[in-house]
Amino acid sequence: MARRSAPLLRRLVSSAPPLPGHGGGARRTVTYMPRPGDGTPRPVTLIPGDGIGPLVTGAVEQVMEAMHAPVYFESYDVHGDMPAVPPAVIESIRRNKVCLKGGLATPVGGGVSSLNMQLRKELDLFASLVNCANVPGLPTRHQNVDIVVIRENTEGEYSGLEHEVVPGVVESLKVITKFCSERIAKYAFEYAYLNYRKKVTAVHKANIMKLADGLFLESCREIAAKYPSIEYNEIIVDNCCMQLVSRPEQFDVMVTPNLYGNLVANTAAGLVGGTGVMPGGNVGQDHAIFEQGASAGNVGNDNLVEQQKANPVALLLSSAMMLRHLQFPSFADRLETAVKRVIAEGKYRTKDLGGTSTTQEVTDAVIANLD
């Protein structure tokens, strides 16, 4: 049987179309094999939010419709000055598992607590991920920057445990637990392993906060020992900030407690084009919320809203992350490629990237560049 099959096998191999790079035209390769039913459109909870939020989420809706992405949105009106996230919104995210969100304004000083923090705690979105990388076509001081900041999202200085001891004396508690430190460290090393990253850097201030940040470092070291193929090192947060602005290319994956991660992610974003082009998301065991990666400027200002000139790129790229999370990789690739083409061409850019385009003009350009 084997001898009779050999000539047939040789004929099939010799007549097969050439592989890309081996002569002849390129052919589509199998990159993702869906399970039956994977093409069913998925519901996504949408929170347009405050300020520029409705502008940039509206851009995402237009692009998704133009490329017939297998998602549809359940939109809810939520604003940062509300006393709490409406229960119907929480229930929608629990049911759909995925949410796309514009910025929610958080009052400074007195007033209501942060709805962003409420969402993270309510849904246990313990990991924030921001990818800060050079974008082709955007000139920056530093090249070869590709940093992923993974931030613990539920405790630390953001625990919200503050009280006035006596008039004029306020106590704010920083809570660090073994459980949360271990799971964020594990997530960072899993991310590095699955994405073929070479190094994980833990950011800390254990020279001063010896117990709290010391516990965080101890947890990171224990997890690092389980991933011998990934380099692990540590850096004090103030030195980290200096190194970021002088030699950012040395960093790969960074894992941080809550407050440091916010500072590091926004600093890194500023090195490679600003917060308007950096995607990100928050993920837990069962749910995920995708939004602009770095928090600075995610609500914008009145002028941007009035002139309709908010930059939609960050949320469009975050939407590509969302599509991959939903296991729609080809749609994610199409969206990301179109956005990067528009940036590289340089014809349509908003003010933060040195242009004069409106949100709608950038959105139309992305749609025109969809394959």
Side-chain angles (χ1 to χ4, degrees), residues 294-308:
S295 59
N298 66 351
V299 176
N301 56 53
D302 292 340
N303 286 337
L304 282 178
V305 177
E306 291 170 4
Q307 297 172 12
Q308 306 278 292

Side-chain angles (χ1 to χ4, degrees), residues 63-95:
V63 174
M64 291 290 184
E65 183 178 356
M67 66 179 184
H68 306 292
V71 297
Y72 61 93
F73 293 103
E74 296 178 1
S75 185
Y76 290 87
D77 194 26
V78 182
H79 299 285
D81 58 0
M82 290 180 170
V85 179
V89 178
I90 299 292
E91 177 56 33
S92 174
I93 300 174
R94 290 192 189 280
R95 181 176 62 251

Side-chain angles (χ1 to χ4, degrees), residues 175-248:
V175 177
I176 298 288
T177 65
K178 181 78 168 176
F179 173 78
C180 289
S181 297
E182 281 187 344
R183 71 174 179 175
I184 195 63
K186 184 177 180 181
Y187 183 82
F189 276 92
E190 280 185 347
Y191 177 90
Y193 170 70
L194 293 172
N195 290 277
Y196 197 56
R197 294 280 183 156
K198 304 293 188 180
K199 181 169 67 173
V200 173
T201 300
V203 182
H204 67 95
K205 191 64 177 173
N207 58 325
I208 301 299
M209 285 170 274
K210 299 181 184 298
L211 292 179
D213 284 22
L215 178 59
F216 176 79
L217 278 188
E218 176 188 309
S219 302
C220 289
R221 291 167 184 168
E222 290 176 1
I223 299 300
K226 300 177 182 179
Y227 292 84
S229 63
I230 299 173
E231 181 185 348
Y232 170 71
N233 65 354
E234 301 166 356
I235 189 168
I236 296 173
V237 63
D238 38 355
N239 183 32
C240 173
C241 293
M242 189 272 288
Q243 294 290 334
L244 267 176
V245 298
S246 57
R247 292 197 306 116

